[in-house]
Amino acid sequence: EDKVVQSPLSLVVHEGDTVTLNCSYEVTNFRSLLWYKQEKKAPTFLFMLTSSGIEKKSGRLSSILDKKELFSILNITATQTGDSAVYLCAVDPLMNRDDKIIFGKGTRLHILP
Amino acid sequence: KAGVTQTPRYLIKTRGQQVTLSCSPISGHRSVSWYQQTPGQGLQFLFEYFSETQRNKGNFPGRFSGRQFSNSRSEMNVSTLELGDSALYLCASSFNREGGYTFGSGTRLTVV
């Protein structure tokens, strides 16, 4: 059965710390891995990763994919209280009729001032 | 440009009733997918529509159904509501599944 596992489930750090969130997956077909940030309701898109070893960056956030070991990490440097959110990882398989996007259960990140 | 719009924002229904939720995608997006989010199960895929056709379906009972109109707006219907259907229902749109999905703010459904 296809699955996406995120770790840790929750994390509490102090402002200024660097955090690494993990996402591992087992899927029959793989097209891309997606990261989202969910603060209150609507998850907001962060990154889409399709190729191994190519880091994607957006400000203090960065992410990389390892297709051989089937995992991705999301790094946040110099964390701020506004980074507090649930971070969701999802795998989007090939566009076959029975393929569907699979989300992990998320990592709840809380940044202490 | 306007984002993904979901209505209503909140809904309270009693067991046995049915409910219809609406999602208007970003203009030009033809793919609309629906998700159920609960604290215990996380985000679970319900179904995806593309150009008025259901393309994928998750592992939910037949009480959950949906449709997409020619203007790409989508509706989701849940019949014979159960307490366990209480959740945040999110809709997401995409141009063609490339570039990720844009989510709406969701409909919080409470079944009492």
Side-chain angles (χ1 to χ4, degrees), chain A residues 95-110:
Chain A
M95 279 174 59
N96 296 320
R97 182 160 183 85
D98 294 327
D99 289 335
K100 50 188 179 289
I101 190 168
I102 304 166
F103 277 83
K105 294 193 176 181
T107 293
R108 184 174 295 277
L109 176 63
H110 185 66

Side-chain angles (χ1 to χ4, degrees), chain B residues 10-15 17 81-83 85-89 107-112:
Chain B
Y10 301 92
L11 209 49
I12 300 175
K13 291 283 189 178
T14 56
R15 276 184 301 174
Q17 286 187 308
L81 284 166
E82 300 176 0
L83 294 178
D85 297 332
S86 295
L88 178 66
Y89 289 88
T107 294
R108 171 78 61 187
L109 171 66
T110 302
V111 182
V112 298

Side-chain angles (χ1 to χ4, degrees), chain A residues 36 38 41 92 97 99 101, chain B residues 35 37 56 97 101 104-105:
Chain A
Y36 286 88
Q38 186 176 26
K41 282 195 174 180
D92 198 359
R97 182 160 183 85
D99 289 335
I101 190 168
Chain B
Y35 301 84
Q37 188 175 34
N56 288 306
R97 287 176 91 175
Y101 299 78
S105 294

Side-chain angles (χ1 to χ4, degrees), chain A residues 45-109:
Chain A
F45 175 76
L46 293 174
F47 299 111
M48 172 185 269
L49 304 159
T50 55
S51 302
S52 271
I54 300 175
E55 185 182 50
K56 293 222 171 172
K57 284 184 70 96
S58 177
R60 296 175 294 102
L61 276 67
S62 64
S63 183
I64 197 161
L65 173 68
D66 185 328
K67 289 169 75 173
K68 182 180 175 186
E69 299 298 329
L70 308 183
F71 78 92
S72 173
I73 59 172
L74 175 68
N75 276 321
I76 309 174
T77 59
T79 52
Q80 302 170 358
T81 54
D83 296 327
S84 296
V86 175
Y87 290 84
L88 298 165
C89 166
V91 170
D92 198 359
L94 295 173
M95 279 174 59
N96 296 320
R97 182 160 183 85
D98 294 327
D99 289 335
K100 50 188 179 289
I101 190 168
I102 304 166
F103 277 83
K105 294 193 176 181
T107 293
R108 184 174 295 277
L109 176 63

Side-chain angles (χ1 to χ4, degrees), chain A residues 6-73:
Chain A
Q6 291 187 246
S7 64
L9 288 181
S10 66
L11 189 56
V12 180
V13 299
H14 287 279
E15 207 167 20
D17 288 349
T18 293
V19 298
T20 298
L21 311 183
N22 304 293
C23 175
S24 64
Y25 61 92
E26 292 178 27
V27 296
T28 308
N29 299 304
F30 176 90
R31 186 171 75 146
S32 63
L33 186 143
L34 306 160
W35 283 98
Y36 286 88
K37 177 183 181 183
Q38 186 176 26
E39 292 180 81
K40 290 183 180 175
K41 282 195 174 180
T44 53
F45 175 76
L46 293 174
F47 299 111
M48 172 185 269
L49 304 159
T50 55
S51 302
S52 271
I54 300 175
E55 185 182 50
K56 293 222 171 172
K57 284 184 70 96
S58 177
R60 296 175 294 102
L61 276 67
S62 64
S63 183
I64 197 161
L65 173 68
D66 185 328
K67 289 169 75 173
K68 182 180 175 186
E69 299 298 329
L70 308 183
F71 78 92
S72 173
I73 59 172

Side-chain angles (χ1 to χ4, degrees), chain B residues 32-67:
Chain B
V32 175
S33 48
W34 288 89
Y35 301 84
Q36 181 195 67
Q37 188 175 34
T38 58
Q41 297 298 319
L43 256 174
Q44 291 188 287
F45 174 81
L46 280 157
F47 26 67
E48 179 185 10
Y49 287 87
F50 185 86
S51 293
E52 301 180 67
T53 301
Q54 187 179 88
R55 191 154 66 175
N56 288 306
K57 192 176 192 307
N59 299 322
F60 279 81
R63 300 184 296 106
F64 291 81
S65 63
R67 59 178 175 167

